[in-house]
Amino acid sequence: MLAGLGLLTACMPYQGPQVAWPVFGAQPPAAPAPEPAMAQVPVQPAVGALPPPAGGTALRERQPDLCGASRYASAVGQPGSVVPGLGVTGDHRIVEHRGIVQQEYQAYRLNFRLDENGIITRVDCG
């Protein structure tokens, strides 16, 4: 128990010597100097710092279609269960609605994205 108390005491910050004032012939320690106030610098927003994105949107479709997603565009609107019958031979995955997937982009991987009812809503690369 005493060892635990010693460890607890060792973790506490040092408070300096404990002296009861007044002590004969001693002066109390001086108060620390106040820290200087920081200068207030107005911050201006960076309006117009960047040119507007071309095409009106910051999101752009990745080109070219390296995974061949356009060949499977006819699968949109069909149930996800048709994917094995499409004859996909390359790297692919079925992304369920609100499914957790790696965010690593692989240009040659084919993605079949499903809605909450299991219907293919989009076919893309990544």
Side-chain angles (χ1 to χ4, degrees):
M1 172 121 172
L2 289 177
L5 183 59
L7 288 174
L8 181 62
T9 305
C11 294
M12 296 175 60
Y14 177 68
Q15 299 293 326
Q18 301 296 319
V19 179
W21 298 101
V23 174
F24 180 74
Q27 297 293 322
E35 292 188 26
M38 295 189 64
Q40 297 293 326
V41 178
V43 177
Q44 298 295 327
V47 177
L50 298 175
T57 178
L59 300 176
R60 295 185 183 155
E61 186 175 336
R62 297 181 183 196
Q63 295 292 336
D65 182 13
L66 296 177
C67 69
S70 60
R71 290 182 283 178
Y72 301 98
S74 62
V76 174
Q78 297 183 31
S81 59
V82 302
V83 173
L86 294 175
V88 180
T89 57
D91 189 19
H92 68 282
R93 65 183 175 181
I94 300 173
V95 182
E96 295 182 8
H97 179 67
R98 295 189 179 177
I100 298 173
V101 295
Q102 291 181 342
Q103 296 300 308
E104 177 183 351
Y105 181 78
Q106 295 181 13
Y108 293 97
R109 179 174 52 202
L110 187 62
N111 296 316
F112 293 92
R113 302 190 185 271
L114 308 181
D115 67 5
E116 62 273 2
N117 297 319
I119 305 298
I120 300 172
T121 57
R122 193 170 79 199
V123 181
D124 59 13
C125 299

